[in-house]
Amino acid sequence: MELKFVDYKAISMCKSVDMKGMEFSSSFVDSKLMSGVNVAPKFCSCRGLLMKNSYSSASYDATRSVSEKNFLVDTFSDQINGTNHTSLYFRDKWVLDAADDEYGGVLINPERLPSNPDKFSFVLRASLSHWKVKGKRGVWLKLPLERCDLVPIAVKEGFQYHHAERGYVMMTYWIPDEPYMLPSNASHQVGVGGFVINDKNEVLVVQEKHSAPALSGLWKIPTGFILESEEIFTGVVREVKEETGINTEFVEVMAFRHAHSVAFEKSDLFFVCLLRPLSKQIMVDDLEIQSAKWMPLIEFVEQPLIQGDDMFKKIIDIFIARIGKRYCGLSVHQLVSKFDDKLSTLYFNTVDDPGFNCQAS
């Protein structure tokens, strides 16, 4: 197939653009453009401008809107001036801007998505065909909140929801004709609780404004969730500070609980940590906390809700054993692994001789 072009002005001289019956398929786009063949649809019959087209199965209805016509005119105009750099043309016009990931897939650049939904639909289909030819596997499409109009288009092309955050939805597409291998969304949430005990053997406790009816009247340790990219040992210090105003120093992880189907069918990891208080004056967070105080340890332990719950009782037993130096928790050690060359935190017991009593560092 060969195209002959005249001056760019020839396009503007056309009085009408006949798009009727023009159809594209992603396979056509890949096979023709990647092979270096000049292609262009039949826009009009103007003197000095000869265009031929030959297209296969219907996969794109170009009669849907005037905007699609304008998109196609703009798309092919780069070659009207006589320039013919097919590979650059193909990459810039027909394949979404994306980066390869380390697992043979692609990450679509959310900042360079086409502004026109019809253009996005067309280019997305062509991109999937191109990536299939290239042997790519998973495709990750992050759609910002302001581009939510593109979600139905992606779903129609076979994309699935992966996860959503406040500002975006992540969608995925699996190309190979083999079992789906993309990782699932995060399966766990991570919570922390801070056991803070002062030199008077008093425990820092709170009553929450919003709690389950079964926990009504319970004085409990400050708890909360770890933020994204936050360490356990810094997260628990932050939570205690936010709820009570007390500054603390992390000592150890004393125990952790693993539960399932807790929130939105996700599993839950809850780390119980021993903290050393660095201040005394309580300042309650009025948004979350009804009241906070220093409570004698024996009074805290004897609460009916704690005595009647096996989980709470065991945590208290561990806590008391730790105070009596009959139990050692997990302390923080930050190390760099050669697997990723990143600093990470390892929690482990540092006692070399079981005969020695544990000492808080």
Side-chain angles (χ1 to χ4, degrees):
M1 188 188 311
E2 182 179 357
L3 302 180
K4 296 180 181 179
F5 296 95
V6 294
D7 190 275
Y8 180 81
K9 295 179 180 178
I11 290 295
S12 62
M13 294 170 60
C14 297
K15 296 181 179 179
S16 64
V17 179
D18 181 15
M19 303 294 287
K20 184 177 181 180
M22 188 186 70
E23 297 173 336
F24 288 83
S25 72
S26 57
S27 59
F28 168 78
V29 172
D30 260 332
S31 61
K32 298 303 182 184
L33 290 181
M34 288 302 291
S35 62
V37 179
N38 292 326
V39 294
K42 182 179 179 181
F43 291 115
C44 58
S45 297
C46 299
R47 186 178 64 183
L49 177 64
L50 175 60
M51 297 186 180
K52 301 177 182 179
N53 66 15
S54 177
Y55 301 109
S56 58
S57 62
S59 62
Y60 177 74
D61 184 359
T63 65
R64 285 182 296 178
S65 67
V66 175
S67 62
E68 288 180 272
K69 298 178 183 180
N70 293 337
F71 151 58
L72 289 170
V73 171
D74 292 341
T75 299
F76 284 99
S77 64
D78 285 354
Q79 288 198 350
I80 300 299
N81 61 9
T83 302
N84 182 25
H85 301 295
T86 304
S87 61
L88 179 61
Y89 165 79
F90 182 86
R91 185 181 71 245
D92 290 346
K93 293 296 184 180
W94 293 98
V95 177
L96 291 168
D97 183 53
D100 294 339
D101 66 22
E102 57 184 314
Y103 303 104
V106 292
L107 307 170
I108 298 174
N109 185 352
E111 297 181 358
R112 296 193 62 185
L113 296 171
S115 58
N116 182 288
D118 293 321
K119 180 175 180 179
F120 172 74
S121 175
F122 185 89
V123 178
L124 179 61
R125 190 176 301 124
S127 299
L128 292 174
S129 179
H130 170 69
W131 292 325
K132 183 175 183 179
V133 171
K134 289 292 186 180
K136 298 300 181 183
R137 296 167 63 79
V139 181
W140 297 85
L141 173 62
K142 181 179 180 180
L143 293 177
L145 188 62
E146 61 271 17
R147 301 310 314 274
C148 62
D149 58 325
L150 302 183
V151 171
I153 298 173
V155 170
K156 186 176 180 181
E157 293 302 324
F159 277 79
Q160 298 179 352
Y161 296 122
H162 187 267
H163 69 272
E165 296 290 346
R166 294 175 64 90
Y168 72 87
V169 60
M170 181 69 78
M171 308 184 74
T172 59
Y173 184 96
W174 182 247
I175 295 176
D177 186 17
E178 58 187 52
Y180 185 92
M181 295 295 291
L182 293 178
S184 300
N185 184 27
S187 60
H188 286 66
Q189 63 182 14
V190 180
V192 288
F195 253 116
V196 186
I197 188 164
N198 61 21
D199 54 7
K200 297 179 181 179
N201 245 18
E202 295 174 326
V203 181
L204 180 64
V205 294
V206 300
Q207 283 187 335
E208 296 180 338
K209 280 189 174 181
H210 311 285
S211 62
L215 301 179
S216 177
L218 174 67
W219 288 95
K220 58 185 284 291
I221 62 174
T223 61
F225 290 105
I226 294 296
L227 303 178
E228 185 176 356
S229 300
E230 185 177 43
E231 297 281 0
I232 292 171
F233 70 91
T234 57
V236 67
V237 169
R238 174 188 55 77
E239 281 290 346
V240 171
K241 174 68 174 179
E242 289 178 355
E243 292 190 359
T244 68
I246 297 296
N247 296 312
T248 61
E249 179 185 7
F250 176 86
V251 179
E252 290 173 351
V253 171
M254 296 193 301
F256 70 90
R257 181 211 66 188
H258 194 194
H260 304 287
S261 300
V262 174
F264 305 105
E265 303 304 316
K266 301 299 182 182
S267 297
D268 179 90
L269 287 168
F270 181 74
F271 292 84
V272 183
C273 305
L274 177 63
L275 303 176
R276 181 184 296 109
L278 302 177
S279 63
K280 298 179 180 179
Q281 186 64 40
I282 293 176
M283 292 179 289
V284 172
D285 174 16
D286 293 331
L287 293 178
E288 296 184 65
I289 303 302
Q290 182 69 38
S291 183
K293 66 180 181 178
W294 292 100
M295 175 182 280
L297 176 58
I298 187 64
E299 185 180 338
F300 173 71
V301 171
E302 290 178 349
Q303 291 184 93
L305 284 173
I306 289 181
Q307 289 297 316
D309 185 275
D310 290 340
M311 180 77 71
F312 275 119
K313 282 185 66 176
K314 179 55 66 175
I315 292 175
I316 294 299
D317 289 344
I318 292 171
F319 181 56
I320 293 175
R322 178 62 185 86
I323 295 175
K325 302 176 183 178
R326 295 179 286 107
Y327 175 88
C328 298
L330 307 177
S331 55
V332 170
H333 304 268
Q334 293 191 301
L335 306 167
V336 175
S337 171
K338 289 188 176 180
F339 285 105
D340 56 12
D341 291 324
K342 294 180 179 179
L343 183 68
S344 59
T345 304
L346 188 63
Y347 294 81
F348 62 89
N349 191 309
T350 58
V351 174
D352 296 323
D353 186 348
F356 285 99
N357 290 328
C358 296
Q359 299 288 337
S361 58

